[in-house]
Amino acid sequence: MFRLAKTLPALGAVTLALATAAPVNAQDRPGEGVQITMAQPNWDTGWFQTAIYSQMLEELGYDVSEPMTLDNAAFFQAVALGDVTMWIDGWFPQHNVFRDTFEDGAEIVGAVARGGALQGYMVDKASADRFDIKTLDDFKRPEVREAFDRDGDGKADLVSCPVGWACEEIIQHHLEAYGLVDHVNKTTANYAAAMADAVAAYENGEPILYYAWTPNWTADELKPGVDAVWIEVPFISLFGSDKGLEESAIWPGVEGCVADPCRLGYIANDIVPVVNSEFLAENPAVRALFEAASVPLSDVFAQNARMKDGDSDIAGHAAQWIAEHREQVDGWLATAREAAAD
C-alpha cells in the first residue's frame, strides 16, 4: 500500500483507498456506541477467556472497558445493579450461594467450559500404576505412605493450599472425614512454589501427590492421563456451603481419572458468563455470541502456563488465539450479527 501511494498524487491515493475499501455495514457492528463495563475475577487463571470475549465483543463494535478486578460477592451485587455489565467467570453450582444476590438483575448465558472447573487430588501416573492407587484410602497403606514421604515424618506429603484459601479448609475436612490425619501431611506453603517443587520432584522420578484445580498451569506441566491421574475420594463428604451438591462431586468423562464417572470429592463447575439482564435484552447479539462461543480447557491450561513462566501479555495471547481460530470465531460473530438483525 505504501509503495503504491508513492506513485500517485495524494488525492488519487485517497480516491483509490475510498474506492477499494470494504463498505462498513452497520449490521457488522451492532454494538457501535454501546459501552460494556467488563469485570474479571481476582484469580488470574480466568483472565485469558475474559480477554478473548472482550476482543470478540469489540469486533461487534462494542466499547469494552479494561476489566475491573472484583471478588465474587462484589461482582454479583454490581452486575445485578448494572454497575458492571458482565464477567465471563461464573462458577456454577459453586456460585449458587450468590443467586439471591444477582438473579433479579442478571443471568447466566452460554458457557465457556461445561464442567471445566474441576478440583481434586492427583498422583503422578507412574506411581499410581506401580502402587495401584485409586483413592485417597490407598495412602493408609504403609508402602504408599513411605513412597510419598518426602520429609521423613512417616506420612505421605500432599501439596495443599495456603492457609486462608477455601480449598485448605476442605482438604483438612477430607483428611479428618477419611481418617487420613495420621497418614497424610498437607503442606500449606505458597501453592505455585510448592507445585514447582513437585514438578521438579516428578522430573527426578519421585512420587508426588497434590491438590489440583482447573483451569490452571499445572495441567499443562503435568498432563492428566499422561503425567498424572485424578484419584477418587473414598466417599463424598462435602464441606460448608457445598453440602447438598453431592451429585456435582461425581463427574463423567474427566480426562485422566482412574474411574468414569470420577468421584472427585469436590463439586465440578461450569465456567459461564454472567450478564446484566437489561443489557442482554437490549443486545441480542451478545446473547447469541455467548450461547455459541466456548474456549477449550487445554488452550486455557497452555496460556496459564505462559503466564506462570512470566509472559503476561494476556491481550496478546487472546489475539493470537482468535487468529488461530479465525474461521470458528467468524462463525460465532456471524451468528451474533444475525441475531442483531432479526
Side-chain angles (χ1 to χ4, degrees):
M1 175 65 75
F2 290 114
R3 290 173 184 163
L4 178 61
K6 289 179 180 178
T7 66
L8 295 171
L11 182 59
V14 173
T15 303
L16 178 64
L18 290 173
T20 57
V24 177
N25 191 322
Q27 183 178 324
D28 291 339
R29 295 176 64 81
E32 197 74 58
V34 179
Q35 185 170 8
I36 290 174
T37 303
M38 180 66 73
Q40 66 183 9
N42 56 1
W43 59 91
D44 63 4
T45 55
W47 294 357
F48 178 50
Q49 50 264 38
T50 298
I52 289 173
Y53 277 63
S54 292
Q55 291 180 25
M56 290 193 297
L57 290 165
E58 287 169 350
E59 290 197 41
L60 293 174
Y62 288 95
D63 179 8
V64 185
S65 72
E66 284 295 314
M68 181 187 306
T69 302
L70 298 173
D71 64 24
N72 294 333
F75 166 74
F76 285 112
Q77 182 175 30
V79 74
L81 295 172
D83 294 336
V84 299
T85 314
M86 65 179 69
W87 77 2
I88 311 302
D89 279 281
W91 280 33
F92 289 86
Q94 185 165 309
H95 288 168
N96 279 346
V97 294
F98 298 106
R99 283 189 178 273
D100 288 345
T101 300
F102 78 84
E103 281 193 326
D104 285 343
E107 59 196 86
I108 297 167
V109 55
V112 179
R114 296 285 182 194
L118 302 177
Q119 301 176 78
Y121 302 100
M122 301 196 79
V123 170
D124 67 282
K125 189 175 187 304
S127 297
D129 291 343
R130 178 185 174 190
F131 294 103
D132 192 29
I133 298 171
K134 302 296 185 184
T135 80
L136 282 177
D137 248 3
D138 288 310
F139 286 87
K140 295 177 180 177
R141 291 158 44 199
E143 68 275 17
V144 176
R145 282 201 313 273
E146 182 179 354
F148 286 80
D149 180 9
R150 297 181 62 202
D151 60 8
D153 67 352
K155 299 181 182 181
D157 290 305
L158 163 68
V159 176
S160 180
C161 300
V163 175
W165 288 20
C167 50
E168 191 272 335
E169 293 183 325
I170 297 173
I171 291 168
Q172 182 60 38
H173 167 76
H174 281 168
L175 295 181
E176 294 171 1
Y178 305 138
L180 290 167
V181 172
D182 294 331
H183 305 282
V184 174
N185 177 52
K186 63 184 176 73
T187 62
T188 55
N190 175 276
Y191 182 81
M195 278 306 303
D197 178 67
V199 170
Y202 165 76
E203 291 173 346
N204 287 331
E206 299 177 36
I208 55 171
L209 166 66
Y210 59 99
Y211 161 83
W213 83 87
T214 64
N216 196 309
W217 63 268
T218 56
D220 190 69
E221 294 273 352
L222 299 168
K223 291 181 171 52
V226 178
D227 302 303
V229 294
W230 297 94
I231 62 171
E232 295 192 292
V233 294
F235 54 88
I236 301 300
S237 180
L238 297 183
F239 177 77
S241 62
D242 291 346
K243 288 182 177 179
L245 299 173
E246 283 74 14
E247 290 185 3
S248 294
I250 304 173
W251 205 258
V254 175
E255 183 178 7
C257 184
V258 297
D260 188 13
C262 190
R263 193 168 59 236
L264 292 164
Y266 294 79
I267 58 174
N269 291 271
D270 295 334
I271 302 174
V272 298
V274 181
V275 186
N276 179 268
S277 296
E278 184 177 348
F279 174 87
L280 272 179
E282 296 172 355
N283 293 273
V286 174
R287 180 182 292 278
L289 174 64
F290 285 8
E291 288 176 346
S294 62
V295 180
L297 279 180
S298 57
D299 294 349
V300 180
F301 299 157
Q303 188 276 337
N304 288 174
R306 292 172 71 177
M307 286 197 301
K308 190 268 297 184
D309 290 338
D311 183 355
S312 59
D313 182 15
I314 300 172
H317 302 162
Q320 180 183 350
W321 187 91
I322 289 173
E324 292 172 352
H325 297 79
R326 188 72 258 178
E327 184 175 353
Q328 187 176 37
V329 170
D330 283 346
W332 298 338
L333 295 175
T335 299
R337 290 172 179 128
E338 289 170 8
D342 289 345

